[in-house]
Amino acid sequence: MNKLYLSALAVLGLSTSALAQDARISISRAPEGSAITRRACGSMEVLEAQLAADPAQAQRMAAIEAHAQRVMASPNLQRTAAGTVIIPVVVHVLYNTAAQNISDAQVQSQIDVLNEDFRKLNADVSKTPAQFAGLAADANVQFVLAKRTPTGAATNGIIHKQTKTASWSTNDAVKNSKRGGDDAWDATKYLNLWACNLGQGLLGYAQFPGGSASTDGVVILYSAFGSRAKYSAGTYTTTYDLGRTATHEVGHWLNLRHIWGDASCGNDLVSDTPTQQTSNYGCPAFPHVTCSNSGDMSMNYMDYTDDKCMYMFSTGQSARMNALFATGGARAGLLTSLGGTAPRAAATTTLATAYPNPTSDVLNLSLPAGADAGRATVHVFDLAGHEMKQISYDSRGQVRVGSLPRGLYYITVGTGADVTRQRFEKE
Ligand SMILES: [Zn+2]
C-alpha cells in the first residue's frame, strides 16, 4: 500500500486492521450455491479494491468526507427538512433462468420497503429499544421508479434483460452491457439497482459516493430483492425476504458505514451510534453489551442482523446521508433530475425540432411558439444514453455537433416544463 492510500484510509476512518477484519468476514461466507445462512455484504471489499486500483478515488472520498463533516457541524448548511429528496430509480433485472426474472410487482415491493424505511414509516420501528427510540430517524428520502429514460423516452423504470451469465461476482460485470450485464444510467440523475444472481454467498454490495459513475449503484441478489410481506407471490430466499438488504446497501450508497466501523470497536463516522465490537447476526437479544457501550444498536439497518431484526437509521446517520444533498454534495445532482417525471406525450405537445437531419456541423432548432432559444436546455446523447459534452449551443438556436463522430444520436431540448427528444444523424 502506498502512502497516499494509507493516509486516505486514515481520513476515511479505515485502518488496515479493518480491511483484514473484512477479509475474515469474507471467509465466513456461505459457499457458492448453498443457502445463505448469515448476512454478507461486499461493499467494503469492493471499496478496498477500488481504492487500490485508483488512488484518486481516495482523494475524492476524502473531499466528500470533509464536506459531510462541515455540513453536519453547521445547522445552516444542512438541507431543510421541508424538502423530501425524491430519487428516481432504474432497476436492471438480469436473468439467466426464469426464476431470476423477478416480476415488476416484486420490484415495486422493494421500492415500497425503501420508502417506508427511509421515511421511518416501517411498522417495526416500534420495536426499537427505549434507549434508542429517540434516535430513530426519518431520513426524508424517497424513491420512485423512473418514468423517463436518460434520452427522454417514457419508461416504467424496470429493465428485464436475459443474460448468459449464470452467476455474478463483485467485479461489476453486471453493470456492463459488453460483459453480459446492463449499463448504468446517468448516475447523477438516477439510482441504479441491479437485481441478479449474485454469487459468493453475498446478499448485495454498493458503491460509495466518490466512485466511478459507470459503476455507481447497488447490486442485490434477486431473491433478496423485494418483500414477501408485501408481495408473497415473488421469488425469495428465507430470512432475507423483507427488502432490508436494499435498505442496507442504499445506506452505503448514501455514504453510511457499517455500524461497527469495520474494525474491532471501530468508528462508523456517526456520533450517535454506540461503538460496538463487530457485526451482529440473526436476532440478538437486547442489550448485547460490547466495547463498554450500554448495548449494540443491532437493530440498525447498517448491522448484519436478519431482515426482521433491523428497523432503524439514527439521527446522525440521517444527517450524514443528507449532507450528500446539501450545496456541493456528491449526490446533489439528483435534486434536479427529471427521471421521475413522465415525458409529455408527443401527440399533445408542440415539439422542438432540429434540422437539417442528417447534418455534418450545425443543427438549427425550431422551438415551440413563445419559447426562448437562450433559455432552452440542450443535450446530445449517443444511443446508449451517454451524454456528448463536446457539443455547444448558442442563444440563436444553433447546436454545433461537428466534433461528434459519425453516427446516430439523440438530441433533447428542454423549454420550460417540456422536454422533447429527436434522433439525428451526424454525417
Ligand atoms: Zn454492508
Side-chain angles (χ1 to χ4, degrees):
M1 288 189 238
N2 64 37
K3 197 172 161 199
L4 175 62
Y5 178 46
L6 284 172
S7 62
L9 290 176
V11 169
L12 298 172
L14 296 170
S15 65
T16 50
S17 66
L19 300 176
Q21 159 122 354
D22 203 65
R24 187 157 56 83
I25 290 166
S26 70
I27 292 165
S28 68
R29 286 182 199 149
E32 189 86 35
S34 64
I36 292 176
T37 53
R38 55 193 235 158
R39 181 177 299 282
C41 153
S43 299
M44 293 307 291
E45 284 172 56
V46 169
L47 174 61
E48 182 189 352
Q50 289 181 342
L51 289 170
D54 177 14
Q57 179 170 334
Q59 292 172 307
R60 292 195 298 274
M61 292 184 72
I64 290 167
E65 190 61 40
H67 175 269
Q69 297 298 335
R70 208 162 51 237
V71 170
M72 287 191 290
S74 174
N76 53 3
L77 291 179
Q78 288 172 24
R79 191 170 67 82
T80 62
T84 301
V85 171
I86 299 177
I87 299 180
V89 180
V90 56
V91 179
H92 311 257
V93 178
L94 274 295
Y95 64 97
N96 179 250
T97 66
Q100 294 165 11
N101 190 17
I102 59 172
S103 66
D104 289 0
Q106 186 169 346
V107 169
Q108 184 62 55
S109 76
Q110 181 61 73
I111 302 298
D112 294 345
V113 170
L114 291 172
N115 283 330
E116 289 182 357
D117 291 353
F118 281 83
R119 291 304 318 272
K120 207 179 92 172
L121 296 171
N122 51 306
D124 52 359
V125 75
S126 64
K127 296 188 207 168
T128 307
Q131 181 179 329
F132 299 139
L135 290 176
D138 169 4
N140 218 0
V141 173
Q142 288 206 278
F143 303 85
V144 60
L145 284 169
K147 296 189 176 73
R148 180 189 304 216
T149 70
T151 61
T155 177
N156 71 351
I158 307 172
I159 297 164
H160 296 267
K161 186 172 178 183
Q162 191 160 19
T163 177
K164 290 180 176 152
T165 305
S167 176
W168 303 89
S169 75
T170 53
N171 69 3
D172 284 338
V174 73
K175 305 172 183 174
N176 188 330
S177 294
K178 294 191 180 83
R179 299 167 73 189
D182 199 44
D183 289 340
W185 287 11
D186 182 350
T188 66
K189 303 297 178 195
Y190 301 87
L191 163 58
N192 285 268
L193 300 181
W194 288 267
C196 66
N197 189 30
L198 183 62
Q200 301 177 302
L202 293 171
L203 290 168
Y205 70 95
Q207 179 169 296
F208 290 91
S212 163
S214 65
T215 51
D216 194 58
V218 167
V219 180
I220 293 168
L221 176 67
Y222 70 95
S223 56
F225 198 100
S227 169
R228 196 194 301 269
K230 295 188 181 301
Y231 180 68
S232 61
T235 303
Y236 302 101
T237 186
T238 56
T239 312
Y240 310 105
D241 54 358
L242 297 177
R244 258 63 193 263
T245 296
T247 303
H248 174 109
E249 297 302 342
V250 173
H252 284 314
W253 182 78
L254 291 173
N255 212 20
L256 295 188
R257 296 306 172 97
H258 289 135
I259 193 155
W260 67 97
D262 297 288
S264 179
C265 301
N267 178 5
D268 68 350
L269 308 176
V270 171
S271 58
D272 64 1
T273 51
T275 302
Q276 71 180 53
Q277 179 83 48
T278 186
S279 46
N280 289 288
Y281 295 90
C283 286
F286 185 83
H288 177 228
V289 175
T290 66
C291 307
S292 307
N293 66 21
S294 46
D296 290 358
M297 196 186 274
S298 62
M299 67 298 306
N300 191 285
Y301 295 122
M302 302 315 290
D303 206 328
Y304 265 5
T305 47
D306 292 349
D307 276 23
K308 66 175 186 290
C309 298
M310 52 168 62
Y311 33 79
M312 66 169 287
F313 287 119
S314 76
T315 301
Q317 287 174 321
S318 171
R320 184 172 170 81
M321 291 191 275
N322 276 285
L324 296 169
F325 302 108
T327 303
R331 300 217 183 275
L334 290 160
L335 300 175
T336 55
S337 174
L338 291 173
T341 308
R344 202 181 290 188
T348 63
T349 308
T350 307
L351 295 171
T353 53
Y355 63 93
N357 184 7
T359 183
S360 59
D361 184 28
V362 173
L363 278 169
N364 298 289
L365 296 187
S366 168
L367 299 176
D372 177 354
R375 289 169 170 256
T377 53
V378 174
H379 300 282
V380 170
F381 303 89
D382 67 16
L383 296 191
H386 302 117
E387 184 165 5
M388 302 289 109
K389 301 278 192 188
Q390 67 269 47
I391 64 125
S392 67
Y393 172 67
D394 67 33
S395 59
R396 292 172 300 151
Q398 293 198 319
V399 189
R400 302 205 172 271
V401 297
S403 60
L404 296 177
R406 288 181 187 178
L408 291 171
Y409 297 89
Y410 286 110
I411 181 169
T412 65
V413 182
T415 52
D418 290 324
V419 176
T420 56
R421 171 177 176 265
Q422 179 185 328
R423 197 152 92 151
F424 71 94
E425 182 180 357
K426 163 66 174 40
E427 62 179 10

